Amino acid sequence: MDPTQAEKNFIECILECLEYNPQVMLALEPINRYETNLCNDTRSAKAMIDKMGKPNLRMLVDTFHMNIEEPNIIESLKRVKDCISHVHFADSNRWAPGCGHINFKEILMALKEFGYQGAISAEILPKPSAAECLRLTMEHYHRLGL
Ligand SMILES: [Mn+2]
């Protein structure tokens, strides 16, 4: 689909949802370029959020996508800090935190520094098994002081 038309359709649909119940908050998640061609990074997602101008539209940031798209994850987090409503932790390979090369300690320090109070959830591949990646995630979270 033509990107301009896709954006127009997207805005129309999301605005309808946002206005249907302003008490319900939606979170726009920037997804890397290999999975979609709309809002691939925090800069374009922020522009989209600003364009729609609704207080019940915020941003969900995902470290896996940020690792692919953001020149500097920490600087990007700081730039959109007032928009963030949820955080997905996944390592560079979409495995459990600690199984790739993302520095979660510095990400967590940045989130704490600007007073992020929302949830941090793990969105990871269940490899080698769901139970094992849960164990690895919790072990890493505990090492981070979560
Ligand atoms: Mn995600």
Side-chain angles (χ1 to χ4, degrees):
M1 180 184 285
D2 163 45
T4 310
Q5 186 62 46
E7 185 178 315
K8 190 171 171 278
N9 294 351
F10 176 78
I11 290 173
E12 194 180 301
C13 289
I14 298 299
L15 278 176
E16 190 177 332
C17 294
L18 293 166
E19 288 164 2
Y20 180 76
N21 186 346
Q23 302 303 309
V24 173
M25 188 185 45
L26 298 181
L28 178 60
E29 179 179 12
I31 303 284
N32 77 76
R33 75 191 81 165
Y34 305 109
E35 299 182 46
T36 183
N37 60 2
L38 192 64
C39 295
N40 298 125
D41 57 15
T42 53
R43 194 173 292 279
S44 56
K46 177 74 166 67
M48 183 69 83
I49 289 167
D50 290 346
K51 186 183 275 190
M52 288 196 244
K54 297 290 181 187
N56 56 331
L57 180 60
R58 310 282 300 281
M59 191 184 306
L60 187 168
V61 292
D62 182 316
T63 56
F64 171 79
H65 299 296
M66 293 187 89
N67 178 62
I68 296 170
E69 297 293 347
E70 309 294 331
N72 181 313
I73 292 176
I74 302 304
E75 290 308 312
S76 297
L77 285 172
K78 287 180 180 168
R79 189 168 30 76
V80 299
K81 64 182 183 339
D82 296 329
C83 267
I84 301 173
S85 61
H86 195 92
V87 178
H88 281 164
F89 268 11
D91 219 318
S92 50
N93 44 15
R94 189 48 100 188
W95 289 20
C99 296
H101 58 73
I102 291 178
N103 184 338
F104 288 96
K105 193 166 186 74
E106 73 174 17
I107 290 171
L108 190 62
M109 282 170 57
L111 291 169
K112 281 185 174 172
E113 193 182 304
F114 61 71
Y116 177 71
Q117 295 287 315
I120 298 172
S121 59
E123 185 187 45
I124 53 181
L125 292 173
K127 289 183 176 183
S129 69
E132 179 63 4
C133 74
L134 173 63
R135 190 190 66 72
L136 290 168
T137 298
M138 294 314 294
E139 193 179 282
H140 200 73
Y141 277 18
H142 288 144
R143 270 203 300 275
L144 293 170
L146 284 171

